[in-house]
Amino acid sequence: MGKELKRTPLFNYYKENDIKLIDFGGWALPIQFSSITDEHKSVREKAGLFDVSHMGEILVKGTGSEGFLNHLLTNDVSKLTVGQAQYNAIVYENGGTIDDLIIFKLDKLGYLVTPNASNTEKVFQWMKKEIVEDVILENRSEDIGLIALQGPYAERILQKLADDDLSKLKPFHFFQHVALKDITSVLISRTGYTGEDGFELYLETDETEKLWHLILEAGMEEGLKTCGLGARDTLRLEASLSLYGNELSDEISPLQGGIGFAVKTKKEADFIGKAALTAQLKNGVDKKIKGLELIGKGIARHGYKVFDEGGSEIGVITSGTKSPTLSNSIALALLSTSGNEVGTKVKIEIRNKLVDAVIVQLPFYKREID
Amino acid sequence: MKENRLYSKEHEWILPLGEDAVRVGITDYAVKQLGDVVYVEVPEVDAEVSIGSEMGTVESIKSASEIFAPVTGIILAVNEELEDAPELVNASPFEEGWFAEIQLENPVELEGLLSEENYQAYVAELVIEEEA
């Protein structure tokens, strides 16, 4: 490989522990530490620790920031209170998705926006192009590390390091400037992308490896495992969470891509893409992400074609795997909406063979809330 | 040492069974590259395979990898246990995780395969490349 891969704050940790790294969108990151299946199960049953420092962080500040963001994003930013996070999408005029992201309301006039790693520059440039007076933009991606602690034991592990009562932190809310042992300023949000309870921890790049070790130590007796990109993908897929580049793209709108809940066409603010998305809502979308369970053998991969029982092509697989929790072969597919209801039998072309599958209700996996 | 085995550069091992048949599987190096095997597609018994042609697939959670026939011949037997227990490939790549047995059409093809020693040297080079 000729090009230099970008390093997260945990790069030295990977090297010291002889962890194999791959090129993930230009970043050197591990697919797995031990085994994807084991890592996946530890997140469902206990807890897992992920390095997600490659994700982007863009600060939006100034008196115009709420209006600016509400003009760019599909969800209703005016609904956010300080300390609250919101899942969101940013789209082109035609409704195609630029990215999906989370936005945090830091204070009255400041927001943190977290695009996907590979989309950070694209989103930043798009924001710069649309910038208005009274808004300041800062791409802070280089200065901020991000660790995700996910799983049913996440709270009890992190609580060992924090004086603040973490049980008071509700889903999609966050605490700022939290001290975790001698690391003094961490943003702790009750968010994640695994379908489990958990936290995402934003902090300075320089302190990220220290926090990684503190959490590993605190989680040792709880069965915490370090997890790579492989488990991150199987976990989010079981939970039927859309991923940019798979279920979402510049050709797939949020309504088609399974994140319609983040589109508020009735919000007061006008926003880019509103007309296109309103029309899609009014007329219905022609294609939509659906869940498939394979009846026949094999694994459906991204890009495989899907046919109806009559042999007509009705769509394409966007993500597929063997589910470590459910032990069956599952996939998300972008399918034509006409007639493809839950229970409909379809066929997936896997290496020149047609394999039987059935359209199922999403999500594939949902945690039991106690 | 895995006695009497030969190897392909595609990371299959080949165990001669008598004079004109072989058993084929994938090596521990290949298994390590793959990660957790979750599905194995074996060929049909009696199918004809030719050297270098695709005769099956091993899928890990992340990817699918083809298994290429290291020799030309006819499939005598396949490891049907892999259908229900693909993890045997991880647990025991050289024994219980075997893939298929092939009746050789040209036993001379075995001469083109690598010895244990040469295969280990070949893998060592790959590891160095990977780390570079």
Side-chain angles (χ1 to χ4, degrees):
Chain A
M1 283 184 281
K3 72 174 169 171
E4 188 76 10
L5 295 177
K6 283 185 266 186
R7 299 171 173 188
T8 75
L10 286 159
F11 185 80
N12 288 334
Y13 173 85
Y14 300 141
K15 283 288 146 190
E16 281 162 19
N17 290 280
D18 223 3
I19 307 294
K20 190 181 169 191
L21 303 175
I22 59 130
D23 178 351
F24 182 75
W27 290 83
L29 283 165
I31 289 264
Q32 59 182 14
F33 289 83
S34 49
S35 126
I36 295 174
T37 312
D38 291 351
E39 291 168 21
H40 179 111
K41 286 183 175 161
S42 80
V43 174
R44 289 273 179 260
E45 290 159 16
K46 294 169 180 171
L49 192 61
F50 300 81
D51 174 16
V52 268
S53 301
H54 58 299
M55 299 286 284
E57 288 90 9
I58 297 171
L59 273 177
V60 184
K61 296 188 291 196
T63 50
S65 52
E66 183 187 302
F68 171 69
L69 287 166
N70 234 354
H71 177 62
L72 290 182
L73 302 175
T74 62
N75 210 334
D76 192 352
V77 176
S78 69
K79 291 276 192 282
L80 282 170
T81 55
V82 173
Q84 200 181 0
Q86 184 185 60
Y87 184 68
N88 225 313
I90 181 166
V91 301
Y92 293 108
E93 205 60 66
N94 70 2
T97 312
I98 298 172
D99 199 12
D100 63 319
L101 43 84
I102 293 183
I103 166 170
F104 300 83
K105 184 162 181 164
L106 302 174
D107 52 49
K108 216 169 156 218
L109 304 174
Y111 297 83
L112 177 70
V113 172
T114 61
N116 284 295
S118 55
N119 287 336
T120 302
E121 196 49 37
K122 183 177 72 172
V123 169
F124 188 59
Q125 292 306 329
W126 179 261
M127 287 180 153
K128 266 182 28 189
K129 190 169 74 73
E130 298 292 328
I131 199 162
V132 289
E133 258 184 69
D134 308 325
V135 171
I136 301 163
L137 288 177
E138 283 175 36
N139 186 351
R140 296 288 310 282
S141 305
E142 299 273 314
D143 319 318
I144 300 178
L146 178 57
I147 292 174
L149 174 62
Q150 301 279 299
Y153 295 176
E155 184 186 297
R156 74 168 84 149
I157 291 169
L158 199 60
Q159 192 63 68
K160 293 182 189 178
L161 306 174
D163 290 331
D164 301 67
D165 181 356
L166 296 177
S167 70
K168 293 212 167 87
L169 189 55
K170 290 188 228 136
F172 272 84
H173 283 72
F174 63 95
F175 292 154
Q176 290 182 78
H177 313 298
V178 178
L180 294 172
K181 295 289 180 192
D182 59 340
I183 300 172
T184 51
S185 189
V186 185
L187 187 155
I188 300 184
S189 71
R190 198 149 203 155
T191 50
Y193 223 58
T194 59
E196 295 303 322
D197 183 22
F199 302 91
E200 292 182 300
L201 307 154
Y202 294 81
L203 74 167
E204 283 187 27
T205 302
D206 292 351
E207 299 197 290
T208 307
E209 189 181 347
K210 196 201 274 180
L211 180 59
W212 181 265
H213 286 289
L214 280 175
I215 297 174
L216 276 185
E217 204 177 310
M220 200 180 288
E221 58 192 20
E222 318 283 353
L224 173 67
K225 276 200 174 144
T226 46
C227 302
L229 297 164
R232 188 170 153 76
D233 193 49
T234 53
L235 288 158
R236 72 91 199 164
L237 178 49
E238 272 185 359
S240 310
L241 299 168
S242 297
L243 179 69
Y244 197 87
N246 294 49
E247 287 73 39
L248 293 165
S249 75
D250 56 2
E251 291 178 354
I252 308 174
S253 82
L255 297 171
Q256 296 169 323
I259 59 164
F261 60 89
V263 177
K264 302 283 158 59
T265 52
K266 291 198 172 124
K267 75 178 179 181
E268 216 170 287
D270 194 11
F271 66 95
I272 298 173
K274 182 179 175 178
L277 294 178
T278 304
Q280 285 186 13
L281 271 176
K282 187 169 162 252
N283 306 327
V285 288
D286 53 341
K287 53 188 179 178
K288 199 169 183 206
I289 291 295
K290 308 230 172 185
L292 297 179
E293 198 178 299
L294 273 68
I295 301 165
K297 299 205 173 288
I299 294 170
R301 305 279 182 188
H302 180 90
Y304 288 5
K305 291 175 179 171
V306 184
F307 297 86
D308 66 15
E309 288 211 291
S312 303
E313 194 173 328
I314 53 166
V316 64
I317 300 291
T318 52
S319 298
T321 195
K322 168 106 177 261
S323 160
T325 307
L326 312 166
S327 289
N328 56 7
S329 191
I330 58 172
L332 292 172
L334 188 64
L335 298 184
S336 138
T337 41
S338 63
N340 291 318
E341 306 301 328
V342 166
T344 305
K345 288 196 174 152
V346 300
K347 290 180 186 292
I348 305 169
E349 190 180 72
I350 301 181
R351 290 185 294 275
N352 302 321
K353 277 186 217 161
L354 290 174
V355 174
D356 290 328
V358 61
I359 298 177
V360 296
Q361 190 71 49
L362 292 174
F364 300 109
Y365 166 86
K366 197 169 193 327
R367 84 184 150 104
E368 288 169 29
I369 312 278
D370 50 26
Chain B
M1 293 287 281
K2 316 281 179 300
E3 273 177 42
N4 304 325
R5 277 178 220 239
L6 297 166
Y7 297 84
S8 74
K9 286 195 169 177
E10 283 71 42
H11 307 288
E12 286 102 20
W13 55 258
I14 297 96
L15 176 68
L17 305 168
E19 276 179 14
D20 59 354
V22 293
R23 176 176 284 186
V24 176
I26 62 173
T27 67
D28 50 358
Y29 175 83
V31 171
K32 197 157 164 265
Q33 295 294 313
L34 278 167
D36 301 326
V37 173
V38 291
Y39 178 65
V40 181
E41 192 174 288
V42 295
E44 305 271 327
V45 171
D46 292 335
E48 287 178 36
V49 295
S50 55
I51 189 164
S53 69
E54 197 184 310
M55 65 167 183
T57 310
V58 178
E59 298 211 36
S60 68
I61 287 181
K62 286 307 288 177
S63 64
S65 302
E66 281 77 43
I67 294 186
F68 299 98
V71 290
T72 303
I74 291 166
I75 302 291
L76 284 176
V78 294
N79 186 354
E80 280 167 5
E81 271 187 68
L82 295 181
E83 190 163 296
D84 296 322
E87 63 275 9
L88 285 176
V89 177
N90 290 100
S92 176
F94 289 102
E95 305 296 339
E96 289 171 68
W98 67 277
F99 185 74
E101 291 175 357
I102 305 172
Q103 174 90 49
L104 294 172
E105 193 179 300
N106 308 311
V108 70
E109 282 175 350
L110 297 181
E111 287 172 24
L113 295 166
L114 302 173
S115 65
E116 165 88 22
E117 195 184 350
N118 289 345
Y119 177 70
Q120 295 300 354
Y122 171 68
V123 166
E125 263 175 49
L126 291 180
V127 172
I128 290 166
E129 264 176 40
E130 200 181 294
E131 283 172 359

